[in-house]
Amino acid sequence: MKTIDELLAEGVAGKRVFVRADLNVPLDGAAITDDGRIRAVLPTVKALAEAGAKVVVASHLGRPKGAPDPAFSLAPAAARLGELLGSAVAFATDTVGESARSTVAGLADGQVAVLENLRFNAGETSKDDTERGAFADRLAELADLYVGDGFGAVHRKHASVYDLPARLPHAAGYLIATEVGVLKKLTEDVERPYVVALGGSKVSDKLAVIDQLLGKADRLLIGGGMLFTFLKAKGYEVGASLLQEDQLPVVREYIERAEKNGVELVLPVDVLTSTEFPDLKTKAPAHPNTVAADAIPADQLGLDIGPETRKLYASKLADAGTVFWNGPMGVFEHPDYAEGTRAVAQALIDSPAFTVVGGGDSAAAVRLLGFDENAFGHISTGGGASLEYLEGKTLPGLAALEG
């Protein structure tokens, strides 16, 4: 995989460089609530601009249905990128139309432009190779070189991620190089004990990675909504908690395999419950109950790991050599159910291990709860991409950059 440093050494001054970034930031109206993904691509954009390239940044945001939708405009992200760069960033109001062509044509050496949301064009996400390729052809007309730096999208076979690199000389940006290097530490040369903390709402989202980790990790800590399927698989009452009944057979098999393989599978000993889901807008006090994990009342739903489990999980992380954490332990967006997630984050900070926060909601929780991002070994920008890499899948965006 060619690196951006190799590309810079060859010279990019005066050339149009298409940077596929991941600016898929959370928005509250037009306000960005977490700019972590924009900051993550800054080193690549700055290096190219300072070397005299005409930098064309492109990304998706949300899931528009192949047509323009103001709710998913990248205009706020473009404005924030300009603030972080300390220089004006031009914004094209379309992806490959007149605005995109004129905006790119108007760039001087060292200037930066952002195209409108790539998913406003149906060709970006099309499963039809011809339609996707046709969109990639039009994107290729806007650039001389391609730099892939949107790690959060490399598991998608999309036009700007997979097809476009085949049409232009290409290289990996600094973010992708860093992410791949970190993931290799989690798969090829792991310092043990290797402890993985998995949370999130649905166990089905994590089945493939659990399947792989049962042959690689030394210890698995389970939290989030998915924990209740594990508790049910052990025969416990889970009340009104989130439960995926159809996944019980495979979860039972995983519990048996963990024991057979000598993998320590750690489940909560207590949980916080309530009769209703908390109000995440008003953050009104929820007054949760603390109950034993094997004694959840029938009318209650579990919403976070309990205080004894926090201590238990911290102790299980304390002696780790490597830690990968993906998925919050509870409904962290509400202060009454944030302590489980906070405890795991703090345990990662306190651990001498090489610690990786696996993107998505985990990264959002770290920022929302006010932790210093530099206190962790690495915070990934791609939750889904990280998981698929750990599952052993070939990621289309990485394969395209290696081609």
Side-chain angles (χ1 to χ4, degrees):
M1 188 184 294
K2 189 173 186 176
T3 69
I4 186 173
D5 284 332
E6 292 175 285
L7 196 69
L8 291 167
E10 293 170 358
V12 296
K15 294 184 178 179
R16 301 168 301 163
V17 182
F18 188 104
V19 177
R20 193 358 172 141
D22 178 9
L23 307 181
N24 186 27
V25 292
L27 295 172
D28 182 2
I32 297 170
T33 57
D34 181 357
D35 67 357
R37 285 177 170 164
I38 301 175
R39 287 185 284 112
V41 78
L42 278 178
T44 291
V45 174
K46 278 184 175 180
L48 290 166
E50 289 171 0
K54 300 173 181 179
V55 187
V56 182
V57 180
S59 175
H60 69 287
L61 191 152
R63 296 179 183 273
K65 303 186 184 301
D69 183 338
F72 297 107
S73 175
L74 274 172
R80 181 58 180 151
L81 178 61
E83 292 172 0
L84 293 169
L85 287 171
S87 58
V89 167
F91 182 64
T93 57
D94 57 28
T95 55
V96 290
E98 177 56 35
S99 179
R101 292 193 297 271
S102 62
T103 298
V104 173
L107 289 176
D109 294 0
Q111 290 187 329
V112 179
V114 173
L115 303 182
E116 185 53 285
N117 193 336
L118 291 166
R119 291 184 182 175
F120 285 1
N121 188 303
E124 169 68 1
T125 59
S126 176
K127 289 182 169 44
D128 182 271
D129 291 349
T130 301
E131 183 181 11
R132 212 176 53 245
F135 183 49
D137 286 340
R138 296 185 70 188
L139 289 173
E141 293 172 2
L142 300 173
D144 305 302
L145 303 168
Y146 176 95
V147 172
D149 215 29
F151 180 74
V154 293
H155 58 315
R156 305 295 187 193
K157 192 176 181 181
H158 290 170
S160 65
V161 175
Y162 178 75
D163 302 273
L164 186 54
R167 289 157 169 77
L168 295 169
H170 51 268
Y174 291 123
L175 175 60
I176 279 186
T178 298
E179 294 274 13
V180 171
V182 166
L183 288 167
K184 284 183 176 179
K185 285 188 178 182
L186 297 178
T187 54
E188 296 176 10
D189 188 22
V190 183
E191 185 175 342
R192 298 187 179 275
Y194 179 20
V195 185
V196 178
L198 292 176
S201 58
K202 295 181 179 180
V203 69
S204 56
D205 294 340
K206 304 289 193 324
L207 287 178
V209 76
I210 293 172
D211 184 63
Q212 286 291 317
L213 290 169
L214 287 174
K216 295 175 181 176
D218 299 300
R219 195 177 294 151
L220 289 178
L221 314 181
I222 305 296
M226 62 185 284
L227 75 87
F228 301 103
T229 303
F230 277 85
L231 294 179
K232 187 71 172 181
K234 289 181 71 70
Y236 299 158
E237 172 61 55
V238 298
S241 305
L242 182 65
L243 175 65
Q244 290 188 281
E245 294 260 11
D246 60 324
Q247 302 300 333
L248 286 171
V250 70
V251 169
R252 290 191 186 103
E253 192 271 324
Y254 284 174
I255 292 172
E256 292 172 4
R257 182 140 55 98
E259 185 173 359
K260 179 180 178 182
N261 291 356
V263 177
E264 186 181 2
L265 181 62
V266 189
L267 298 176
V269 294
D270 61 348
V271 295
L272 299 187
T273 67
S274 177
T275 56
E276 59 186 8
F277 198 83
D279 189 325
L280 300 183
K281 287 191 176 180
T282 67
K283 304 290 198 300
H287 307 297
N289 304 306
T290 302
V291 302
D294 60 355
I296 299 173
D299 66 338
Q300 306 264 314
L301 64 157
L303 296 161
D304 194 13
I305 59 175
E308 292 304 314
T309 303
R310 291 174 221 152
K311 295 176 189 173
L312 173 66
Y313 283 15
S315 71
K316 297 294 183 181
L317 291 162
D319 67 342
T322 303
V323 179
F324 176 71
W325 170 34
N326 180 277
M329 295 291 108
V331 186
F332 71 93
E333 300 92 339
H334 192 285
D336 288 344
Y337 301 107
E339 293 309 305
T341 301
R342 187 189 304 279
V344 168
Q346 187 61 54
L348 263 67
I349 291 172
D350 294 340
S351 171
F354 174 63
T355 57
V356 179
V357 180
D361 285 341
S362 311
V366 163
R367 298 183 185 109
L368 179 68
L369 297 176
F371 288 99
D372 179 2
E373 295 177 48
N374 295 320
F376 301 89
H378 178 69
I379 298 180
S380 179
T381 57
S386 296
L387 287 177
E388 291 198 16
Y389 189 102
L390 294 180
E391 289 166 19
K393 292 184 177 178
T394 296
L395 306 188
L398 297 185
L401 291 175
E402 290 166 352

